[in-house]
Amino acid sequence: MVSSLRVVGGTEAMYGSHPWLVSLQNRGSHFCGGSILSDRWIMTAAHCFTSLVIVGEFDQRVHDEEEQVFLVKSVSVHEKYNPALPMNYDIALIELNQRIQMGARVQPICLPLPNENILPQTTCMTAGWGRIKERGRLPVVLREVHLDLVDGAKCKYVLQTLKGSMMNQRLIRPQPSMTVLCAGPETGGRDACQGDSGGPLVCPAGSEGHHWVALGVTSWGKGCGRSWGNNSSRPPSKRGSPGIFTDVRLLLPWIKRKLREGSVCKYLNVFLCLCVTGIFCGSVLPGPILLNNSHNATLLFSSDISRAGSGFVIRHHAVKGHFHPGCGTLVLVEDKASIHSPNHPQAYSNDCVLRWVIHAPLGHVVKLEFTDFDLEESERCLYDSLTVLGDVEGTEEIALLCGGSIPPPVLSYNSTMVLQFTSDSSITHRGFRATLTFIKEMIHKYDLVFIICEYEFFFIW
C-alpha cells in the first residue's frame, strides 16, 4: 500500500520557521500541505483537493497570530498529471480568492533556478501536520524533518524495485519522463508521510546556501519511514521507499507560464511592501509612491525565463511633516486617515490621476465615508470619477462615483481597498473629502461550512 505522505521521525518545529507552509483543509480538518509562491498563488500536489487554505498556521488548536483563511478561486493541475504509480507531474497551482497579507510568519518560498545544482546528500527539510508514524496519530502542532537528497540513479533503481514488485516481480524501466526526486535515509526512520502531500521539500541554495528554495513537492512513498536499501530481498508488502517528491526544477516553465497567465503584468512584477502596494511592468515610468506613516518597504523583483529588459532605478527619501500628494502619486495608507482630492476644497486640476492603496489590519475591512463630494457628472462617469476597487490590479470594481451628491459609505470586500481619482482635460470641480476607518470582520475559519466529496489517496499495485 502506497499512501500520500506525512512527517515521520521529525521534531516539533519552531513557530514561524516555515512561513511559506500552508494547510489545505476539508471540513475543518487538515489533509494536505502547500507552499506560498506569491500573495495569490499556492503550489501543492495535483492529487490534493481542497476548498479552504489556511496560511500562517502552526498550532491547529488555536488561532495563530498571523493566521489567515482563504477560499479557492481556481486550481491549475498539470496537464500531464498521471495518478498511476509512479505518479508523474504531481503538481498543481491554487489561486486564492483574496490576497495574502505577508508578515514575519507568512512569507513566500523561492523557486529554484532552472540550472540550480543541489548535490546528492544535501540536507533538505520538509514539514507538516501529518501522521508521526505509519498508521500513527495526527499531530496538532507543526512538525519538521531533515532529509538528505538521494542520488538520481539510486532513486530510479528504488522505483524499479517498487514497480517490479507489483508486476509479478518483473523490473520495469521507469518512463523517460519521470519528474520526481527522492530524499531520505536508506535505513528509514525519517520520512514524509500521509498529510504532508503538497508541502515543499526545501533545500539550501546559492553560493553559500544562505536561502531556501522549494526543490520538490511532497508526492508519495511506500510505507512511512521504512528502510529501502535491500528492497529486492524483501516480499513486496515489506518493501519501502524514500520520500518521493515532484522535481520543481523540471516543471519551472509550466509554473511560470501559469503564474504569467494569472498576472496583470505578465513578464515583470515589482511588489512594494509586505502588503502589495503596486504592481509595475512595461516601459512607462511610474509616478512617485508615498508610504504614509510607514518607515520601511520591501521591493520584490521577479523575471521569467524569457525576454529581459534594462531593469529599473529607484530613489527614495524621507518626507518630514504632512505631505499633500499630487497628481500621478500612488499613496499607501495603513492607518485610519482623512483623504481628499488634490487642492480640495479648491478645484482639482485637469488630466489628474491619483491612487490610494489602503490595507486594513488582518481580520478587518475598510470603511470609506464621504464628508464632501463634487465631481463633474456624466453618464457612466466617463469624464471625472472616483473608482473604488477591491484589489491592487483593478479587477474587482466596488463602486464608480461622480456627480454632486454625497455617496453613502462604501465597504471593502476584504482588508484591501484601492481608490483611483481621475479627471479629464476639461471642466474641474471641488473634488471630495472622505475618512477611512477599519471595521473588524467577524469571520472565523470554523464558521465556514462546506459540503464536499471526501477523498482518500491510497494506491494498491
Side-chain angles (χ1 to χ4, degrees), residues 410-449:
V410 181
L411 292 178
S412 63
Y413 297 145
N414 48 60
S415 59
T416 298
M417 177 184 282
V418 177
L419 305 176
Q420 178 163 310
F421 169 72
T422 305
S423 66
D424 65 3
S425 58
S426 65
I427 306 178
T428 61
H429 286 244
R430 189 172 64 250
F432 70 90
R433 179 177 290 273
T435 58
L436 296 165
T437 55
F438 303 145
I439 301 174
K440 189 170 181 60
E441 184 180 24
M442 300 301 294
I443 295 179
H444 192 271
K445 68 178 179 181
Y446 301 112
D447 297 330
L448 300 174
V449 179

Side-chain angles (χ1 to χ4, degrees), residues 20 29 35-36 59 83 122 143 173 262 286 340 342 378 384 395 401 442 444:
W20 45 76
S29 297
S35 50
I36 300 172
D59 187 338
T122 297
R143 296 179 67 85
R173 185 178 300 277
H340 57 82
S378 62
D384 301 348
T395 61
L401 307 172
M442 300 301 294
H444 192 271

Side-chain angles (χ1 to χ4, degrees), residues 5-278:
L5 298 183
R6 54 201 177 266
V7 165
V8 171
T11 58
E12 189 172 300
M14 289 182 58
Y15 183 36
S17 59
H18 297 266
W20 45 76
L21 189 64
V22 307
S23 170
L24 307 187
Q25 299 192 0
N26 278 335
R27 296 182 178 179
S29 297
H30 168 87
F31 77 102
C32 263
S35 50
I36 300 172
L37 295 186
S38 74
D39 62 345
R40 204 76 182 247
W41 289 93
I42 304 297
M43 180 171 66
T44 187
H47 73 264
C48 290
F49 295 83
T50 189
S51 55
L52 195 65
V53 178
I54 316 293
V55 309
E57 181 74 287
F58 178 72
D59 187 338
Q60 296 188 345
R61 297 168 297 187
V62 300
H63 185 84
D64 296 301
E65 182 181 356
E66 296 186 33
E67 185 174 316
Q68 301 163 60
V69 184
F70 299 93
L71 300 179
V72 173
K73 181 178 180 180
S74 67
V75 179
S76 298
V77 174
H78 199 287
E79 297 80 4
K80 294 183 180 180
Y81 166 58
N82 179 13
L85 290 174
M87 274 194 288
N88 270 329
Y89 299 94
D90 187 17
I91 191 169
L93 295 176
I94 296 174
E95 184 182 10
L96 303 179
N97 68 322
Q98 298 178 18
R99 291 196 172 279
I100 298 171
Q101 290 200 11
M102 303 297 179
R105 298 180 179 92
V106 177
Q107 290 287 318
I109 184 67
C110 294
L111 292 173
L113 297 173
N115 59 348
E116 195 88 64
N117 185 24
I118 301 179
L119 300 175
Q121 303 305 312
T122 297
T123 299
C124 301
M125 184 165 46
T126 191
W129 295 268
R131 302 184 190 277
I132 60 175
K133 65 178 181 178
E134 196 166 332
R135 299 188 181 90
R137 66 178 179 87
L138 291 167
V140 293
V141 177
L142 181 66
R143 296 179 67 85
E144 66 183 20
V145 64
H146 292 83
L147 304 173
D148 292 348
L149 293 179
V150 176
D151 177 77
K154 184 179 289 187
C155 177
K156 289 183 178 180
Y157 175 75
V158 174
L159 295 183
Q160 283 183 312
T161 66
L162 295 178
K163 184 113 181 177
S165 69
M166 300 310 300
M167 300 294 291
N168 299 320
Q169 306 301 318
R170 289 184 293 112
L171 294 182
I172 298 178
R173 185 178 300 277
Q175 302 173 14
S177 59
M178 288 298 295
T179 58
V180 301
L181 56 85
C182 301
E186 288 190 40
T187 55
R190 286 182 285 117
D191 200 357
C193 251
Q194 186 184 24
D196 287 328
S197 283
L201 177 71
V202 296
C203 302
S207 58
E208 298 181 4
H210 283 168
H211 71 278
W212 295 94
V213 298
L215 192 69
V217 175
T218 309
S219 182
W220 62 279
K222 181 71 183 285
C224 293
R226 296 182 185 182
S227 63
W228 46 271
N230 57 348
N231 266 358
S232 57
S233 63
R234 293 180 175 181
S237 63
K238 299 296 183 181
R239 296 180 182 181
S241 77
I244 311 298
F245 303 84
T246 301
D247 191 337
V248 171
R249 289 170 299 186
L250 299 178
L251 301 181
L252 281 174
W254 180 84
I255 294 170
K256 295 193 174 184
R257 174 167 56 86
K258 291 298 179 182
L259 295 181
R260 286 200 304 268
E261 289 172 358
S263 172
V264 174
C265 288
K266 293 180 183 274
Y267 300 106
L268 173 65
N269 298 325
V270 178
F271 296 87
L272 182 62
C273 298
L274 294 178
C275 296
V276 178
T277 301

Side-chain angles (χ1 to χ4, degrees), residues 78 87 96 141 219 229 344 368 373 388 402 408 442 451 454 460:
H78 199 287
M87 274 194 288
L96 303 179
V141 177
S219 182
H344 183 274
L368 174 68
F373 196 91
V388 185
C402 63
M442 300 301 294
I451 300 175
E454 186 175 9
I460 300 177

